Amino acid sequence: VSSSTRALLELIRDVPDFPKPGIVFKDITPLLASPAAFQSALDAMAEPLRHQSITAVAAIESRGFIFGAGIAARLGCGLVLVRKPGKLPWKRLRHDYALEYGNDALEIHADAVGPDDRVAVVDDVLATGGTAAAAARLLGDCGADVTAFSFLIELGFLEGRGRLATGSIHSAIMY
Ligand code: AMP
């Protein structure tokens, strides 16, 4: 583990039994509050996406937005929002999926990306992979190529990457 990765690890707080018994929640608010750690997290998440001709970063609500914006700015590409139901105003596509703690659905604007796009999906945590897989499905339904995934944290023991069918998968921190 590199010293920069260790610095990030020290700023991720484990909160047992949140939001449900049995879930160890990865609280990233101390990391976000540290200027050096936040910058280094964005650098670590953006770096593997360079030289992949990414045209758009698709960020998953809510914590994915925090990282997606900074990564899109670093890569010089646009930001696409994958949102919880009922938030997007324009024509939408929807996909329902199972979460580590419950069920949920995601939506995207039908014209957010298209066949000319090479998209990187960004979120804070890869757990069971249901959320990222749902986002990838929506992007595919728009006609885009899902080229890569970038996560701050991967909970490797949940084997979520096995649910991601296409694209390279990158995580700055592996548990
Ligand atoms: P999953 O669909 O199971 O891969 O869950 C990923 C989504 O749920 C991400 O958007 C995370 O923000 C959130 N999530 C799942 N498990 C955790 C966890 N242990 N700590 C923090 N966030 C989590």
Side-chain angles (χ1 to χ4, degrees), residues 9-20:
L9 276 167
E10 285 171 3
L11 291 169
I12 296 168
R13 183 159 54 196
D14 281 4
V15 184
D17 300 318
F18 183 90
K20 283 188 175 177

Side-chain angles (χ1 to χ4, degrees), residues 36-119:
F38 188 26
Q39 291 292 327
S40 114
L42 289 169
D43 289 342
M45 292 174 76
E47 193 51 40
L49 304 177
R50 290 190 195 281
H51 316 298
Q52 293 205 49
S53 306
I54 301 292
T55 62
V57 168
I60 303 175
E61 187 168 2
S62 314
R63 288 183 297 275
F65 289 0
I66 297 167
F67 298 98
I71 292 166
R74 276 164 171 71
L75 298 178
C77 64
L79 183 67
V80 168
L81 305 183
V82 179
R83 299 209 63 176
K84 308 270 170 67
K87 305 278 192 179
L88 289 169
W90 189 241
K91 287 175 192 157
R92 296 163 297 271
L93 304 177
R94 175 186 170 115
H95 186 62
D96 292 86
Y97 66 99
L99 195 69
E100 192 185 3
Y101 38 83
N103 289 301
D104 218 333
L106 288 176
E107 293 183 343
I108 193 170
H109 275 159
D111 62 356
V113 288
D116 293 337
D117 283 302
R118 292 170 53 83
V119 184

